Amino acid sequence: MANMFEITTHGAGLYEFTDQVTSWLRAQNTSDGLLTLFVRHTSCSLLIQENADPEVQTDLNNFFSRLVPPSTDPTMSYLTHTYEGPDDMPAHIKSALLPVNLSIPVHDGRLMLGAWQGIYLFEHRTAPHRRQVAGHLST
């Protein structure tokens, strides 16, 4: 069973889409399996992260922005792929450092996430985007 999840972003940051995945799983009427999620873009990534305190998402975004600043930052002067904007190549670097796919066990039709875990698309570009995440449930 496969599905395509669409996530609209409004710039860099973490966008939780756990509810979309949970709703789709309920409609599948399945009990046990393994859900694989794969983001179909090279400038964003996927994370399972805390969803109780929004400061966690803010801090993660700020950390990765400091770790890999825009190409206009003097420390990034070695970059050659700069014609798509100062955030593009840093976004590719961040997505190379972070996962672009996730595997989540499903039991009794429910994601086996921890109490404070959510599924996030981590947008690394500063402009809005429509991102696609392919989901596949193996039973």
Side-chain angles (χ1 to χ4, degrees):
M1 291 172 254
N3 190 47
M4 192 68 65
F5 301 97
E6 287 215 356
I7 296 102
T8 300
T9 69
H10 307 286
L14 284 92
Y15 296 84
E16 186 174 8
F17 65 106
T18 312
D19 289 345
Q20 288 183 45
V21 175
T22 300
S23 294
W24 177 72
L25 273 178
R26 268 192 227 114
Q28 300 316 300
N29 225 7
T30 189
S31 58
D32 293 351
L34 182 66
L35 175 65
T36 302
L37 298 171
F38 174 76
V39 66
R40 300 182 67 211
H41 308 275
T42 59
S43 55
C44 59
S45 51
L46 297 174
L47 292 178
I48 294 175
Q49 198 45 253
E50 178 181 328
N51 62 1
D53 186 348
E55 289 179 350
V56 172
Q57 291 90 50
T58 300
D59 288 347
L60 281 168
N61 190 43
N62 290 339
F63 170 78
F64 279 99
S65 293
R66 287 183 66 186
L67 183 67
V68 188
S71 63
T72 52
D73 187 288
T75 63
M76 302 299 278
S77 63
Y78 62 91
L79 295 178
T80 58
H81 178 77
T82 58
Y83 51 87
E84 291 184 57
D87 67 327
D88 184 56
M89 190 58 217
H92 292 295
I93 293 169
K94 292 171 191 174
S95 72
L97 294 172
L98 295 165
V100 295
N101 65 299
L102 301 171
S103 297
I104 305 167
V106 175
H107 179 64
D108 287 335
R110 296 175 51 184
L111 296 167
M112 293 186 68
L113 294 173
W116 308 113
Q117 290 182 318
I119 305 167
Y120 290 87
L121 178 116
F122 195 169
E123 177 63 69
H124 303 305
R125 299 294 308 265
T126 57
H129 285 84
R130 290 184 67 117
R131 301 301 196 172
Q132 293 182 331
V133 177
H136 182 265
L137 181 63
S138 301
T139 56

